Amino acid sequence: MYTVIIPAAGQGKRMGSTKNKVLLELNGKPIIYHTVSIFEKDINCAAVYLAAREEEIAYLKDLLKDCSKVKGIMVGGSERQYSIYNVLKNIPQCEIVMVHDAARPFVSHETLQVLYDATAEKQAVIAAVPVKDTIKMVSDSVIERTLNRAALWQVQTPQSFDYRLLLNAYRAAEQDDFLGTDDASLVERLGESVSVIESDYDNIKLTTPEDLYFAEAIMKKRGI
Ligand SMILES: Nc1ccn([C@@H]2O[C@H](COP(=O)(O)OP(=O)(O)OP(=O)(O)O)[C@@H](O)[C@H]2O)c(=O)n1
Ligand SMILES: C[C@](O)(CO)[C@H](O)COP(=O)(O)O
């Protein structure tokens, strides 16, 4: 069984909304509700912990009161990494811990199962998809070089780890004042190997307003 940490304490600045984007509704329910519901239904998930903005904790507790796997909602920090760390260091010890963005409400049960099985063998495994576009490094509007697309993956969450390894990685990042944009990068800098499993292109992060159109399309396709 695994524990999942769901960071939900962002602001959604790039979404341009007046409220935290994970509280915006899709099909009559807040995005965070859709995300938590996936883990509530996942047979291998034992416990769900959320990082939330202090002023939204009471609302989330009420919204998620029927989700029996939600064991705690803790206050987040000013950066995604700080939000996750605050939860990670306050949850009961477990074997496998996953981190999944509240803003990714379309992760599939198949991806969760593949990640879970892989983490039994490897200590760090993340969901990702092969990059579809050609990616170039640009400096001052001039191309420096074209990267080898065959080696590029666009990383997502869930990111799944041996609990001790992730805790050590977060502690080391704090000590070194390192701020990463995902959890794997904290483990990578310890020199530990992180594996990738192929997820799917529906597992988008709702980041900018146009992502809401894609979300509508994904829900329509799934008959939600
Ligand atoms: N201080 C923060 C920042 C982000 N997150 C969470 O981390 C996930 C991924 O972050 P992102 O998509 O960047 O969300 P925001 O930080 O809200 O977006 P923006 O950067 O546009 O403000 C989201 O579920 C978000 O709620 C968090 O828990 N604490
Ligand atoms: C963890 C993540 O979802 C992987 O794509 C992403 O890096 C979150 O970063 P953001 O900078 O908060 O969008």
PDB file of all heavy atoms in Angstrom, residues 7-15 20-22 51 77-80 83 101-103 205-207, ligand 1:
ATOM      1  N   PRO A   7      -0.140  18.176  -3.057  1.00  0.00           N
ATOM      2  CA  PRO A   7       0.037  19.613  -2.823  1.00  0.00           C
ATOM      3  C   PRO A   7      -1.083  20.398  -3.509  1.00  0.00           C
ATOM      4  O   PRO A   7      -1.297  20.271  -4.712  1.00  0.00           O
ATOM      5  CB  PRO A   7       1.408  19.911  -3.438  1.00  0.00           C
ATOM      6  CG  PRO A   7       1.595  18.866  -4.481  1.00  0.00           C
ATOM      7  CD  PRO A   7       0.843  17.647  -4.039  1.00  0.00           C
ATOM      8  N   ALA A   8      -1.775  21.219  -2.713  1.00  0.00           N
ATOM      9  CA  ALA A   8      -2.919  21.994  -3.230  1.00  0.00           C
ATOM     10  C   ALA A   8      -2.849  23.434  -2.740  1.00  0.00           C
ATOM     11  O   ALA A   8      -3.854  24.138  -2.726  1.00  0.00           O
ATOM     12  CB  ALA A   8      -4.226  21.342  -2.770  1.00  0.00           C
ATOM     13  N   ALA A   9      -1.660  23.844  -2.299  1.00  0.00           N
ATOM     14  CA  ALA A   9      -1.535  25.142  -1.633  1.00  0.00           C
ATOM     15  C   ALA A   9      -1.038  26.260  -2.549  1.00  0.00           C
ATOM     16  O   ALA A   9      -0.545  27.282  -2.080  1.00  0.00           O
ATOM     17  CB  ALA A   9      -0.599  25.012  -0.429  1.00  0.00           C
ATOM     18  N   GLY A  10      -1.171  26.057  -3.854  1.00  0.00           N
ATOM     19  CA  GLY A  10      -0.725  27.095  -4.792  1.00  0.00           C
ATOM     20  C   GLY A  10      -1.740  28.217  -4.901  1.00  0.00           C
ATOM     21  O   GLY A  10      -2.751  28.252  -4.197  1.00  0.00           O
ATOM     22  N   GLN A  11      -1.440  29.129  -5.839  1.00  0.00           N
ATOM     23  CA  GLN A  11      -2.353  30.263  -6.061  1.00  0.00           C
ATOM     24  C   GLN A  11      -3.016  30.193  -7.418  1.00  0.00           C
ATOM     25  O   GLN A  11      -4.093  30.714  -7.613  1.00  0.00           O
ATOM     26  CB  GLN A  11      -1.562  31.581  -6.014  1.00  0.00           C
ATOM     27  CG  GLN A  11      -0.999  31.919  -4.666  1.00  0.00           C
ATOM     28  CD  GLN A  11      -0.295  33.276  -4.738  1.00  0.00           C
ATOM     29  OE1 GLN A  11      -0.787  34.222  -5.332  1.00  0.00           O
ATOM     30  NE2 GLN A  11       0.881  33.352  -4.146  1.00  0.00           N
ATOM     31  N   GLY A  12      -2.330  29.554  -8.371  1.00  0.00           N
ATOM     32  CA  GLY A  12      -2.867  29.510  -9.725  1.00  0.00           C
ATOM     33  C   GLY A  12      -2.682  30.828 -10.456  1.00  0.00           C
ATOM     34  O   GLY A  12      -3.552  31.241 -11.226  1.00  0.00           O
ATOM     35  N   LYS A  13      -1.526  31.456 -10.256  1.00  0.00           N
ATOM     36  CA  LYS A  13      -1.282  32.765 -10.900  1.00  0.00           C
ATOM     37  C   LYS A  13      -1.389  32.667 -12.418  1.00  0.00           C
ATOM     38  O   LYS A  13      -1.977  33.514 -13.068  1.00  0.00           O
ATOM     39  CB  LYS A  13       0.107  33.297 -10.512  1.00  0.00           C
ATOM     40  CG  LYS A  13       0.129  33.979  -9.156  1.00  0.00           C
ATOM     41  CD  LYS A  13       1.514  34.490  -8.825  1.00  0.00           C
ATOM     42  CE  LYS A  13       2.322  33.373  -8.231  1.00  0.00           C
ATOM     43  NZ  LYS A  13       3.665  33.630  -7.817  1.00  0.00           N
ATOM     44  N   ARG A  14      -0.808  31.591 -12.984  1.00  0.00           N
ATOM     45  CA  ARG A  14      -0.818  31.472 -14.450  1.00  0.00           C
ATOM     46  C   ARG A  14      -2.210  31.167 -14.996  1.00  0.00           C
ATOM     47  O   ARG A  14      -2.472  31.347 -16.171  1.00  0.00           O
ATOM     48  CB  ARG A  14       0.189  30.392 -14.892  1.00  0.00           C
ATOM     49  CG  ARG A  14       1.629  30.819 -14.720  1.00  0.00           C
ATOM     50  CD  ARG A  14       2.596  29.677 -14.912  1.00  0.00           C
ATOM     51  NE  ARG A  14       2.568  28.755 -13.789  1.00  0.00           N
ATOM     52  CZ  ARG A  14       3.267  27.629 -13.722  1.00  0.00           C
ATOM     53  NH1 ARG A  14       4.039  27.280 -14.742  1.00  0.00           N
ATOM     54  NH2 ARG A  14       3.195  26.853 -12.654  1.00  0.00           N
ATOM     55  N   MET A  15      -3.101  30.709 -14.132  1.00  0.00           N
ATOM     56  CA  MET A  15      -4.484  30.451 -14.557  1.00  0.00           C
ATOM     57  C   MET A  15      -5.247  31.771 -14.662  1.00  0.00           C
ATOM     58  O   MET A  15      -6.274  31.857 -15.337  1.00  0.00           O
ATOM     59  CB  MET A  15      -5.152  29.508 -13.547  1.00  0.00           C
ATOM     60  CG  MET A  15      -6.508  29.012 -13.938  1.00  0.00           C
ATOM     61  SD  MET A  15      -6.535  28.130 -15.503  1.00  0.00           S
ATOM     62  CE  MET A  15      -5.892  26.527 -15.043  1.00  0.00           C
ATOM     63  N   ASN A  20      -7.602  30.209  -5.888  1.00  0.00           N
ATOM     64  CA  ASN A  20      -6.743  29.049  -6.107  1.00  0.00           C
ATOM     65  C   ASN A  20      -7.372  28.157  -7.184  1.00  0.00           C
ATOM     66  O   ASN A  20      -8.512  27.706  -7.037  1.00  0.00           O
ATOM     67  CB  ASN A  20      -6.611  28.298  -4.764  1.00  0.00           C
ATOM     68  CG  ASN A  20      -5.712  27.090  -4.851  1.00  0.00           C
ATOM     69  OD1 ASN A  20      -5.234  26.718  -5.930  1.00  0.00           O
ATOM     70  ND2 ASN A  20      -5.475  26.485  -3.704  1.00  0.00           N
ATOM     71  N   LYS A  21      -6.615  27.890  -8.248  1.00  0.00           N
ATOM     72  CA  LYS A  21      -7.192  27.172  -9.398  1.00  0.00           C
ATOM     73  C   LYS A  21      -7.739  25.792  -9.045  1.00  0.00           C
ATOM     74  O   LYS A  21      -8.657  25.309  -9.700  1.00  0.00           O
ATOM     75  CB  LYS A  21      -6.153  27.055 -10.515  1.00  0.00           C
ATOM     76  CG  LYS A  21      -4.977  26.158 -10.154  1.00  0.00           C
ATOM     77  CD  LYS A  21      -3.933  26.101 -11.236  1.00  0.00           C
ATOM     78  CE  LYS A  21      -2.749  25.278 -10.776  1.00  0.00           C
ATOM     79  NZ  LYS A  21      -1.634  25.331 -11.721  1.00  0.00           N
ATOM     80  N   VAL A  22      -7.186  25.148  -8.011  1.00  0.00           N
ATOM     81  CA  VAL A  22      -7.671  23.786  -7.714  1.00  0.00           C
ATOM     82  C   VAL A  22      -9.067  23.806  -7.088  1.00  0.00           C
ATOM     83  O   VAL A  22      -9.687  22.773  -6.893  1.00  0.00           O
ATOM     84  CB  VAL A  22      -6.673  22.964  -6.854  1.00  0.00           C
ATOM     85  CG1 VAL A  22      -5.336  22.856  -7.546  1.00  0.00           C
ATOM     86  CG2 VAL A  22      -6.548  23.492  -5.447  1.00  0.00           C
ATOM     87  N   ALA A  51      -1.601  19.275   1.256  1.00  0.00           N
ATOM     88  CA  ALA A  51      -1.047  20.564   1.691  1.00  0.00           C
ATOM     89  C   ALA A  51      -1.997  21.621   1.160  1.00  0.00           C
ATOM     90  O   ALA A  51      -2.344  21.610  -0.031  1.00  0.00           O
ATOM     91  CB  ALA A  51       0.339  20.777   1.101  1.00  0.00           C
ATOM     92  N   GLY A  77       3.331  25.766   2.031  1.00  0.00           N
ATOM     93  CA  GLY A  77       4.330  26.839   2.112  1.00  0.00           C
ATOM     94  C   GLY A  77       4.265  27.723   0.881  1.00  0.00           C
ATOM     95  O   GLY A  77       3.359  27.601   0.055  1.00  0.00           O
ATOM     96  N   SER A  78       5.272  28.571   0.746  1.00  0.00           N
ATOM     97  CA  SER A  78       5.256  29.550  -0.344  1.00  0.00           C
ATOM     98  C   SER A  78       5.665  28.938  -1.686  1.00  0.00           C
ATOM     99  O   SER A  78       5.490  29.556  -2.733  1.00  0.00           O
ATOM    100  CB  SER A  78       6.207  30.705  -0.006  1.00  0.00           C
ATOM    101  OG  SER A  78       7.511  30.184   0.197  1.00  0.00           O
ATOM    102  N   GLU A  79       6.235  27.751  -1.669  1.00  0.00           N
ATOM    103  CA  GLU A  79       6.629  27.048  -2.897  1.00  0.00           C
ATOM    104  C   GLU A  79       6.098  25.622  -2.801  1.00  0.00           C
ATOM    105  O   GLU A  79       5.945  25.084  -1.699  1.00  0.00           O
ATOM    106  CB  GLU A  79       8.164  26.964  -3.024  1.00  0.00           C
ATOM    107  CG  GLU A  79       8.867  28.296  -3.121  1.00  0.00           C
ATOM    108  CD  GLU A  79       8.711  28.958  -4.488  1.00  0.00           C
ATOM    109  OE1 GLU A  79       8.267  28.279  -5.439  1.00  0.00           O
ATOM    110  OE2 GLU A  79       9.018  30.146  -4.580  1.00  0.00           O
ATOM    111  N   ARG A  80       5.875  25.009  -3.980  1.00  0.00           N
ATOM    112  CA  ARG A  80       5.392  23.627  -4.012  1.00  0.00           C
ATOM    113  C   ARG A  80       6.255  22.729  -3.127  1.00  0.00           C
ATOM    114  O   ARG A  80       5.755  21.917  -2.354  1.00  0.00           O
ATOM    115  CB  ARG A  80       5.409  23.136  -5.465  1.00  0.00           C
ATOM    116  CG  ARG A  80       4.992  21.688  -5.658  1.00  0.00           C
ATOM    117  CD  ARG A  80       5.161  21.307  -7.136  1.00  0.00           C
ATOM    118  NE  ARG A  80       4.711  19.940  -7.378  1.00  0.00           N
ATOM    119  CZ  ARG A  80       5.450  18.864  -7.170  1.00  0.00           C
ATOM    120  NH1 ARG A  80       6.688  18.982  -6.697  1.00  0.00           N
ATOM    121  NH2 ARG A  80       4.970  17.648  -7.418  1.00  0.00           N
ATOM    122  N   SER A  83       5.568  23.115   0.513  1.00  0.00           N
ATOM    123  CA  SER A  83       4.256  22.537   0.862  1.00  0.00           C
ATOM    124  C   SER A  83       4.394  21.026   1.074  1.00  0.00           C
ATOM    125  O   SER A  83       3.894  20.472   2.057  1.00  0.00           O
ATOM    126  CB  SER A  83       3.246  22.797  -0.261  1.00  0.00           C
ATOM    127  OG  SER A  83       2.964  24.165  -0.368  1.00  0.00           O
ATOM    128  N   ASP A 101       0.265  16.243  -7.918  1.00  0.00           N
ATOM    129  CA  ASP A 101      -0.288  17.600  -7.952  1.00  0.00           C
ATOM    130  C   ASP A 101      -1.813  17.580  -7.898  1.00  0.00           C
ATOM    131  O   ASP A 101      -2.459  16.880  -8.702  1.00  0.00           O
ATOM    132  CB  ASP A 101       0.095  18.302  -9.273  1.00  0.00           C
ATOM    133  CG  ASP A 101       1.577  18.550  -9.403  1.00  0.00           C
ATOM    134  OD1 ASP A 101       2.239  18.771  -8.379  1.00  0.00           O
ATOM    135  OD2 ASP A 101       2.062  18.533 -10.561  1.00  0.00           O
ATOM    136  N   ALA A 102      -2.379  18.418  -7.035  1.00  0.00           N
ATOM    137  CA  ALA A 102      -3.843  18.581  -7.022  1.00  0.00           C
ATOM    138  C   ALA A 102      -4.341  19.024  -8.398  1.00  0.00           C
ATOM    139  O   ALA A 102      -5.472  18.729  -8.789  1.00  0.00           O
ATOM    140  CB  ALA A 102      -4.222  19.614  -5.971  1.00  0.00           C
ATOM    141  N   ALA A 103      -3.484  19.734  -9.113  1.00  0.00           N
ATOM    142  CA  ALA A 103      -3.878  20.302 -10.406  1.00  0.00           C
ATOM    143  C   ALA A 103      -3.802  19.303 -11.568  1.00  0.00           C
ATOM    144  O   ALA A 103      -3.905  19.691 -12.733  1.00  0.00           O
ATOM    145  CB  ALA A 103      -2.991  21.507 -10.709  1.00  0.00           C
ATOM    146  N   LYS A 205      -1.399  18.951 -16.392  1.00  0.00           N
ATOM    147  CA  LYS A 205      -1.509  19.839 -15.223  1.00  0.00           C
ATOM    148  C   LYS A 205      -2.291  21.060 -15.676  1.00  0.00           C
ATOM    149  O   LYS A 205      -1.951  21.680 -16.692  1.00  0.00           O
ATOM    150  CB  LYS A 205      -0.129  20.238 -14.703  1.00  0.00           C
ATOM    151  CG  LYS A 205      -0.223  21.109 -13.438  1.00  0.00           C
ATOM    152  CD  LYS A 205       1.061  21.051 -12.614  1.00  0.00           C
ATOM    153  CE  LYS A 205       2.196  21.818 -13.225  1.00  0.00           C
ATOM    154  NZ  LYS A 205       1.955  23.279 -13.351  1.00  0.00           N
ATOM    155  N   LEU A 206      -3.336  21.394 -14.957  1.00  0.00           N
ATOM    156  CA  LEU A 206      -4.156  22.546 -15.324  1.00  0.00           C
ATOM    157  C   LEU A 206      -3.399  23.789 -14.871  1.00  0.00           C
ATOM    158  O   LEU A 206      -3.346  24.095 -13.679  1.00  0.00           O
ATOM    159  CB  LEU A 206      -5.542  22.433 -14.677  1.00  0.00           C
ATOM    160  CG  LEU A 206      -6.289  21.143 -15.043  1.00  0.00           C
ATOM    161  CD1 LEU A 206      -7.635  21.070 -14.353  1.00  0.00           C
ATOM    162  CD2 LEU A 206      -6.476  21.009 -16.549  1.00  0.00           C
ATOM    163  N   THR A 207      -2.759  24.444 -15.805  1.00  0.00           N
ATOM    164  CA  THR A 207      -1.823  25.531 -15.478  1.00  0.00           C
ATOM    165  C   THR A 207      -2.295  26.877 -16.016  1.00  0.00           C
ATOM    166  O   THR A 207      -2.282  27.869 -15.299  1.00  0.00           O
ATOM    167  CB  THR A 207      -0.420  25.204 -16.046  1.00  0.00           C
ATOM    168  OG1 THR A 207      -0.017  23.922 -15.561  1.00  0.00           O
ATOM    169  CG2 THR A 207       0.612  26.244 -15.607  1.00  0.00           C
TER     170      THR A 207
HETATM  171  N1  LIG B   1       3.243  26.980  -2.758  1.00  0.00           N
HETATM  172  C1  LIG B   1       2.671  26.023  -3.461  1.00  0.00           C
HETATM  173  C2  LIG B   1       2.644  26.055  -4.871  1.00  0.00           C
HETATM  174  C3  LIG B   1       2.017  25.033  -5.563  1.00  0.00           C
HETATM  175  N2  LIG B   1       1.420  24.016  -4.878  1.00  0.00           N
HETATM  176  C4  LIG B   1       0.698  22.963  -5.614  1.00  0.00           C
HETATM  177  O1  LIG B   1       1.569  22.305  -6.491  1.00  0.00           O
HETATM  178  C5  LIG B   1       0.869  21.857  -7.642  1.00  0.00           C
HETATM  179  C6  LIG B   1       1.605  22.250  -8.918  1.00  0.00           C
HETATM  180  O2  LIG B   1       1.856  23.635  -8.912  1.00  0.00           O
HETATM  181  P1  LIG B   1       1.389  24.687 -10.020  1.00  0.00           P
HETATM  182  O3  LIG B   1       0.643  24.059 -11.101  1.00  0.00           O
HETATM  183  O4  LIG B   1       2.566  25.519 -10.344  1.00  0.00           O
HETATM  184  O5  LIG B   1       0.304  25.518  -9.163  1.00  0.00           O
HETATM  185  P2  LIG B   1       0.314  27.022  -8.697  1.00  0.00           P
HETATM  186  O6  LIG B   1       1.566  27.296  -7.932  1.00  0.00           O
HETATM  187  O7  LIG B   1      -0.991  27.206  -8.015  1.00  0.00           O
HETATM  188  O8  LIG B   1       0.317  27.803 -10.080  1.00  0.00           O
HETATM  189  P3  LIG B   1       1.060  29.172 -10.433  1.00  0.00           P
HETATM  190  O9  LIG B   1       2.535  28.838 -10.430  1.00  0.00           O
HETATM  191  O10 LIG B   1       0.522  29.523 -11.779  1.00  0.00           O
HETATM  192  O11 LIG B   1       0.672  30.170  -9.375  1.00  0.00           O
HETATM  193  C7  LIG B   1      -0.531  22.463  -7.573  1.00  0.00           C
HETATM  194  O12 LIG B   1      -1.456  21.450  -7.256  1.00  0.00           O
HETATM  195  C8  LIG B   1      -0.424  23.506  -6.496  1.00  0.00           C
HETATM  196  O13 LIG B   1      -1.609  23.708  -5.737  1.00  0.00           O
HETATM  197  C9  LIG B   1       1.481  23.972  -3.488  1.00  0.00           C
HETATM  198  O14 LIG B   1       0.958  23.050  -2.871  1.00  0.00           O
HETATM  199  N3  LIG B   1       2.114  24.979  -2.806  1.00  0.00           N
END
